[in-house]
Amino acid sequence: MGCRTVILISGSGSNLQSFIDRLHPDQANIVAVISNRADAFGLQRAARADIATAILSHRDFPDRVSYDQALAELIDSYQPELVILAGFMRILTPGFVARYEGRLLNIHPSLLPKYTGLHTHQRALEAGDSEHGATVHFVTEELDGGPAIMQSHVPVLPDDSVEALAERVRQTEHSLYPLAASLYIKGRLRLIDGRACLDGAPLAPSGLRLDQFETDMRGHRND
Ligand SMILES: Nc1nc2c(c(=O)[nH]1)N[C@@H](CN(C=O)c1ccc(C(=O)N[C@@H](CCC(=O)O)C(=O)O)cc1)CN2
Ligand SMILES: NCC(=O)N[C@@H]1O[C@H](COP(=O)([O-])[O-])[C@@H](O)[C@H]1O
């Protein structure tokens, strides 16, 4: 079986669905989906795929440290090799990050380092940006500050609403995230001395470009 993977969610789970649809269990063996919200539709997606689910609400704990300790114990009960944040909307404490750093990935809906935090699409529109996108990165203590692995780029159109731009970005995420995760699962992507490295070579600060990487992959297939 593949890389034992636990996926954390808080909402719809369309990125979770892209892992289910695009990565074979011999690659990503998703052993559990954990949500901090009981109403997360992603829990239904996981159940439909016969993946174990668990709910651990942050509201049931007095503070972040105690929540993260309980979350880590729950995660460790599944003995993961890789932990994926897929729309998981809780800021994680240094102790939690230290436990998983180097095998903890996140997808953020902006071209980091632009727009860390929340409301990224609205902020890109308000800034008048001509392009926007998403970033897969290693998770570190610094919120959305971890080394970038790969980015997808989309145009911002003149009459874009927040919803339209968010959907355009989300569509690219469903190719971006499984591909980035597959590089880790294959042993090609690693966090070394605080830098994201592919085949041992440090990546550029913005990571790989999805469009360029896909072009290169097609080229190699035609060689
Ligand atoms: N220590 C880290 N924790 C997390 C990271 C990270 O890089 N380092 N990435 C985030 C994911 N994320 C953006 O990609 C993000 C998630 C949540 C928040 C946030 O402000 N959360 C609020 C609650 C918001 C809500 O419930 O809707 C909070 O935790 O108080 C910002 C960015 C995951 N964690
Ligand atoms: N800061 C974290 C964050 O905003 N993550 C974003 O939440 C969405 C989750 O969608 P999904 O639940 O359909 O995968 C995704 O667009 C992801 O980039």
Side-chain angles (χ1 to χ4, degrees):
M1 289 300 276
C3 177
R4 292 180 64 85
T5 303
V6 168
I7 299 182
L8 305 186
I9 65 168
S10 297
S12 168
S14 71
N15 275 282
L16 162 64
Q17 192 65 55
S18 72
F19 274 68
I20 294 169
D21 295 343
R22 298 172 186 240
L23 295 179
H24 191 277
D26 287 345
Q27 285 178 288
N29 175 19
I30 305 171
V31 292
V33 171
I34 299 171
S35 176
N36 65 311
R37 294 181 182 279
D39 63 350
F41 184 68
L43 291 168
Q44 296 183 45
R45 296 179 191 267
R48 196 182 303 141
D50 295 324
I51 298 170
T53 61
I55 299 164
L56 192 71
S57 174
H58 56 282
R59 295 189 180 93
D60 295 340
F61 294 82
D63 53 50
R64 289 183 191 275
V65 170
S66 57
Y67 176 73
D68 281 9
Q69 283 173 338
L71 181 61
E73 286 170 19
L74 178 58
I75 291 169
D76 288 351
S77 70
Y78 295 100
Q79 298 177 304
E81 298 162 85
L82 175 62
V83 180
I84 293 287
L85 306 182
F88 183 70
M89 297 304 289
R90 298 301 297 173
I91 297 172
L92 295 162
T93 57
F96 181 97
V97 172
R99 193 179 186 118
Y100 299 105
E101 195 161 7
R103 57 187 176 115
L104 178 62
L105 305 183
N106 180 53
I107 190 162
H108 179 76
S110 80
L111 295 175
L112 292 173
K114 295 184 81 171
Y115 313 130
T116 59
L118 300 174
H119 312 302
T120 62
H121 309 304
Q122 181 176 335
R123 291 153 69 188
L125 288 171
E126 288 170 354
D129 291 351
S130 59
E131 72 171 359
H132 188 40
T135 304
V136 176
H137 63 94
F138 283 103
V139 175
T140 61
E141 283 184 33
E142 181 187 356
L143 182 63
D144 304 328
I149 296 165
M150 193 177 287
Q151 292 189 321
S152 61
H153 296 73
V154 300
V156 179
L157 303 179
D159 58 348
D160 260 341
S161 64
V162 169
E163 294 71 24
L165 183 55
E167 181 55 27
R168 191 172 309 123
V169 170
R170 202 161 25 241
Q171 286 305 315
T172 67
E173 292 181 343
H174 301 159
S175 301
L176 178 68
Y177 212 175
L179 177 55
S182 72
L183 293 175
Y184 181 90
I185 290 167
K186 291 172 184 173
R188 297 188 60 192
L189 173 72
R190 286 293 181 268
L191 184 64
I192 302 172
D193 298 330
R195 301 188 69 178
C197 296
L198 185 67
D199 302 329
L203 296 177
S206 56
L208 301 160
R209 283 184 65 106
L210 173 63
D211 51 7
Q212 185 58 55
F213 194 84
E214 287 178 327
T215 300
D216 292 349
M217 283 201 305
R218 280 193 293 272
H220 288 316
R221 278 199 291 270
N222 295 334
D223 284 351

